[in-house]
Amino acid sequence: MRFLHPDGTTVHLGYCSNVHQAEDLRGVIAQLAEYAEPVRERLGVDRLGIGLWLARPVVTELADDEAALGRLKSELRARGLETVTLNAFPYAGFHREVVKKDVYLPDWAEEARLKYTLDCARVLAALLPDDVDRGSVSTLPLAWRSPWTPACTEEARHALERLTTGLAALEAWTGRRIRVGFEPEPGCVVETTTQAVRELGGLDPDRLGICLDACHLAVQFEQPGEALRRLAEAGMPVVKLQASCAVEAADPADPAARAALHRLAEPRFLHQTRTVTDGEVLGVDDLPDALDGELPDDGGPWRVHFHAPLHTEPEPPLRTTADQLDQVLAGLLGGASADCDHIEVETYTWSVLPEPPTDLPGGIAAELAWARDRLTGLGLKEDPS
């Protein structure tokens, strides 16, 4: 879906396809018919944005085979779908039985990460609608925090220089600008906006910026207004917002809260958990660690990196951080100018909810309707064209 900001900017809203299990081109195309087109129909719109996640084998095929790329583009157009952003954080295997820290591999000290990201940019430049000249690709925040050495930092810095050069060459060749956004995440080399400024400052703002995930921001107990000001003052653009909510337990010692949290402690994805004690953010790498007593439960609330559906609350007495997402949206889009034009609903955890949905397209459509209401409430107008 497209929206017009009062400043004239077109803001794109869609959902991320990493919620679907497909790691070959046939599967990617099948999910457009099985899920994405029904989501569009549920919303009653003629055009729906879908932020594609394309695993490494799919990207290789699309980058090397013009016919395959043309087939995907035709399928998107025929089903009323458009792609202006790719999620290139997971490399492959995102729906294995156990993913956990493997999602951060390869990292930005490895050549494979650079090549994959540039190939994603090439594919996206070809998939962009004819009337769109700028796309975004999101990626991991360098790496998981360990092992990460000064030598890794140096390798990553060289890789980002080559990334900038490659993106500039792609723009010169295609006329399309693709920007890459690094996504701060709890537990990584860059987990906060403060660390983003320190570790990623000085990069080319025309090509590189931040992918801001509202769930991650909330888990780290960052104040949205302060975080956005910090990035703006450092000249680091938010090239993409992942509209997402964390899960919060106001009283993690409450037996009912702990029982509900236990039902979220599933084995596939990593669920970093944080709390604040005496003004300091404390955390563990996974929810089971917190439940085993490695995180204080006698102070403030716990926030859990579990992407909860935007439009509904989890099992009581748990809640979501939707209020934090509201503040992020207002900060990025509620002013005189639109500071971000790509918004992607990224609830990839539907399949690992305690009660997975029987109607996934309906759930995704409800999330997008929730986001649409927020955008129109900020003064944006839905573009029917």
Side-chain angles (χ1 to χ4, degrees), residues 137-161:
V137 174
S138 51
T139 186
L140 70 157
L142 299 183
W144 185 252
R145 66 181 183 277
S146 63
W148 187 256
T149 65
C152 293
T153 299
E154 189 68 17
E155 289 291 336
R157 182 60 64 164
H158 289 317
L160 300 191
E161 291 172 356

Short mmCIF file of all heavy atoms in Angstrom, two decimals, residues 137-161:
data_model
loop_
_atom_site.label_atom_id
_atom_site.label_comp_id
_atom_site.label_asym_id
_atom_site.label_seq_id
_atom_site.Cartn_x
_atom_site.Cartn_y
_atom_site.Cartn_z
N VAL A 137 17.37 -2.28 1.39
CA VAL A 137 17.73 -3.64 1.78
C VAL A 137 18.16 -3.59 3.24
O VAL A 137 19.06 -2.82 3.59
CB VAL A 137 18.86 -4.21 0.91
CG1 VAL A 137 19.32 -5.58 1.42
CG2 VAL A 137 18.44 -4.30 -0.56
N SER A 138 17.54 -4.41 4.10
CA SER A 138 17.95 -4.43 5.50
C SER A 138 18.92 -5.58 5.73
O SER A 138 18.85 -6.62 5.08
CB SER A 138 16.74 -4.55 6.42
OG SER A 138 15.89 -5.62 6.03
N THR A 139 19.83 -5.37 6.70
CA THR A 139 20.86 -6.36 6.98
C THR A 139 21.18 -6.36 8.46
O THR A 139 20.72 -5.50 9.21
CB THR A 139 22.12 -6.09 6.14
OG1 THR A 139 23.07 -7.15 6.34
CG2 THR A 139 22.79 -4.77 6.56
N LEU A 140 21.97 -7.36 8.88
CA LEU A 140 22.29 -7.49 10.29
C LEU A 140 23.26 -6.40 10.75
O LEU A 140 23.99 -5.82 9.94
CB LEU A 140 22.88 -8.86 10.60
CG LEU A 140 24.27 -9.19 10.09
CD1 LEU A 140 24.88 -10.31 10.93
CD2 LEU A 140 24.21 -9.65 8.64
N PRO A 141 23.28 -6.12 12.06
CA PRO A 141 24.13 -5.03 12.60
C PRO A 141 25.56 -5.52 12.83
O PRO A 141 26.02 -5.60 13.97
CB PRO A 141 23.42 -4.68 13.91
CG PRO A 141 22.82 -5.97 14.37
CD PRO A 141 22.43 -6.72 13.11
N LEU A 142 26.21 -5.85 11.73
CA LEU A 142 27.58 -6.35 11.65
C LEU A 142 27.68 -7.82 12.05
O LEU A 142 28.10 -8.64 11.25
CB LEU A 142 28.54 -5.49 12.49
CG LEU A 142 28.65 -4.02 12.06
CD1 LEU A 142 29.68 -3.30 12.93
CD2 LEU A 142 28.99 -3.88 10.58
N ALA A 143 27.30 -8.15 13.30
CA ALA A 143 27.49 -9.54 13.75
C ALA A 143 26.91 -9.70 15.14
O ALA A 143 26.61 -8.72 15.83
CB ALA A 143 28.98 -9.89 13.77
N TRP A 144 26.79 -10.95 15.57
CA TRP A 144 26.58 -11.22 16.99
C TRP A 144 27.83 -10.73 17.72
O TRP A 144 28.91 -10.66 17.14
CB TRP A 144 26.35 -12.71 17.20
CG TRP A 144 26.00 -13.08 18.62
CD1 TRP A 144 26.79 -13.74 19.51
CD2 TRP A 144 24.77 -12.80 19.29
NE1 TRP A 144 26.13 -13.88 20.71
CE2 TRP A 144 24.88 -13.32 20.61
CE3 TRP A 144 23.58 -12.16 18.93
CZ2 TRP A 144 23.87 -13.23 21.56
CZ3 TRP A 144 22.57 -12.07 19.87
CH2 TRP A 144 22.71 -12.59 21.16
N ARG A 145 27.69 -10.38 19.00
CA ARG A 145 28.76 -9.64 19.68
C ARG A 145 30.04 -10.46 19.93
O ARG A 145 31.11 -9.89 20.16
CB ARG A 145 28.26 -9.12 21.02
CG ARG A 145 27.93 -10.20 22.03
CD ARG A 145 27.41 -9.60 23.35
NE ARG A 145 27.17 -10.62 24.35
CZ ARG A 145 26.07 -11.34 24.43
NH1 ARG A 145 25.10 -11.13 23.55
NH2 ARG A 145 25.93 -12.26 25.38
N SER A 146 29.92 -11.78 19.87
CA SER A 146 31.12 -12.59 20.09
C SER A 146 31.05 -13.84 19.21
O SER A 146 29.96 -14.38 18.96
CB SER A 146 31.23 -12.98 21.57
OG SER A 146 30.13 -13.81 21.94
N PRO A 147 32.20 -14.29 18.66
CA PRO A 147 33.49 -13.60 18.77
C PRO A 147 33.57 -12.46 17.75
O PRO A 147 33.24 -12.65 16.58
CB PRO A 147 34.49 -14.71 18.42
CG PRO A 147 33.73 -15.62 17.51
CD PRO A 147 32.29 -15.56 17.93
N TRP A 148 33.95 -11.30 18.21
CA TRP A 148 34.11 -10.13 17.32
C TRP A 148 35.37 -9.40 17.79
O TRP A 148 35.40 -8.87 18.89
CB TRP A 148 32.88 -9.23 17.39
CG TRP A 148 32.91 -8.11 16.38
CD1 TRP A 148 33.18 -6.80 16.61
CD2 TRP A 148 32.65 -8.22 14.97
NE1 TRP A 148 33.11 -6.08 15.45
CE2 TRP A 148 32.78 -6.92 14.42
CE3 TRP A 148 32.33 -9.28 14.12
CZ2 TRP A 148 32.60 -6.66 13.07
CZ3 TRP A 148 32.14 -9.02 12.78
CH2 TRP A 148 32.27 -7.72 12.25
N THR A 149 36.36 -9.40 16.95
CA THR A 149 37.68 -8.89 17.30
C THR A 149 37.97 -7.60 16.56
O THR A 149 37.26 -7.25 15.60
CB THR A 149 38.75 -9.93 16.94
OG1 THR A 149 38.77 -10.07 15.50
CG2 THR A 149 38.44 -11.28 17.58
N PRO A 150 39.02 -6.86 16.94
CA PRO A 150 39.43 -5.69 16.16
C PRO A 150 39.69 -6.04 14.70
O PRO A 150 39.41 -5.23 13.80
CB PRO A 150 40.70 -5.23 16.87
CG PRO A 150 40.49 -5.64 18.30
CD PRO A 150 39.79 -6.97 18.21
N ALA A 151 40.20 -7.23 14.44
CA ALA A 151 40.42 -7.64 13.05
C ALA A 151 39.09 -7.77 12.31
O ALA A 151 39.00 -7.40 11.12
CB ALA A 151 41.17 -8.97 13.02
N CYS A 152 38.06 -8.27 12.99
CA CYS A 152 36.73 -8.36 12.38
C CYS A 152 36.20 -6.97 12.05
O CYS A 152 35.60 -6.75 11.00
CB CYS A 152 35.77 -9.08 13.31
SG CYS A 152 36.11 -10.82 13.57
N THR A 153 36.40 -6.03 12.97
CA THR A 153 35.97 -4.65 12.75
C THR A 153 36.62 -4.08 11.50
O THR A 153 35.96 -3.41 10.69
CB THR A 153 36.30 -3.78 13.98
OG1 THR A 153 35.62 -4.30 15.12
CG2 THR A 153 35.89 -2.34 13.75
N GLU A 154 37.89 -4.35 11.35
CA GLU A 154 38.62 -3.84 10.17
C GLU A 154 38.09 -4.48 8.89
O GLU A 154 37.89 -3.79 7.88
CB GLU A 154 40.11 -4.13 10.34
CG GLU A 154 40.99 -3.46 9.31
CD GLU A 154 41.04 -1.95 9.42
OE1 GLU A 154 40.66 -1.42 10.50
OE2 GLU A 154 41.45 -1.29 8.45
N GLU A 155 37.87 -5.79 8.92
CA GLU A 155 37.33 -6.47 7.75
C GLU A 155 35.95 -5.91 7.39
O GLU A 155 35.64 -5.70 6.21
CB GLU A 155 37.23 -7.97 8.01
CG GLU A 155 38.56 -8.70 8.07
CD GLU A 155 39.24 -8.77 6.71
OE1 GLU A 155 38.54 -8.68 5.69
OE2 GLU A 155 40.47 -8.91 6.68
N ALA A 156 35.12 -5.68 8.39
CA ALA A 156 33.78 -5.15 8.14
C ALA A 156 33.84 -3.75 7.56
O ALA A 156 33.07 -3.42 6.65
CB ALA A 156 32.97 -5.16 9.44
N ARG A 157 34.74 -2.93 8.06
CA ARG A 157 34.86 -1.57 7.54
C ARG A 157 35.23 -1.59 6.06
O ARG A 157 34.66 -0.85 5.25
CB ARG A 157 35.88 -0.79 8.36
CG ARG A 157 36.07 0.65 7.95
CD ARG A 157 34.81 1.48 8.05
NE ARG A 157 34.31 1.63 9.40
CZ ARG A 157 33.41 2.55 9.77
NH1 ARG A 157 32.91 3.39 8.87
NH2 ARG A 157 32.98 2.61 11.02
N HIS A 158 36.16 -2.46 5.69
CA HIS A 158 36.51 -2.59 4.27
C HIS A 158 35.32 -3.08 3.45
O HIS A 158 35.09 -2.61 2.33
CB HIS A 158 37.69 -3.56 4.10
CG HIS A 158 39.00 -3.02 4.58
ND1 HIS A 158 39.44 -1.74 4.34
CD2 HIS A 158 39.99 -3.62 5.30
CE1 HIS A 158 40.62 -1.54 4.89
NE2 HIS A 158 40.99 -2.67 5.49
N ALA A 159 34.56 -4.01 4.02
CA ALA A 159 33.40 -4.53 3.31
C ALA A 159 32.36 -3.43 3.08
O ALA A 159 31.76 -3.36 2.00
CB ALA A 159 32.78 -5.69 4.10
N LEU A 160 32.17 -2.56 4.06
CA LEU A 160 31.19 -1.48 3.90
C LEU A 160 31.65 -0.45 2.88
O LEU A 160 30.83 0.14 2.17
CB LEU A 160 30.90 -0.82 5.25
CG LEU A 160 30.34 -1.75 6.33
CD1 LEU A 160 29.85 -0.93 7.53
CD2 LEU A 160 29.22 -2.63 5.79
N GLU A 161 32.95 -0.25 2.79
CA GLU A 161 33.46 0.64 1.73
C GLU A 161 33.17 0.04 0.36
O GLU A 161 32.75 0.76 -0.57
CB GLU A 161 34.96 0.84 1.92
CG GLU A 161 35.32 1.66 3.15
CD GLU A 161 36.82 1.69 3.43
OE1 GLU A 161 37.57 0.99 2.69
OE2 GLU A 161 37.24 2.38 4.38
#
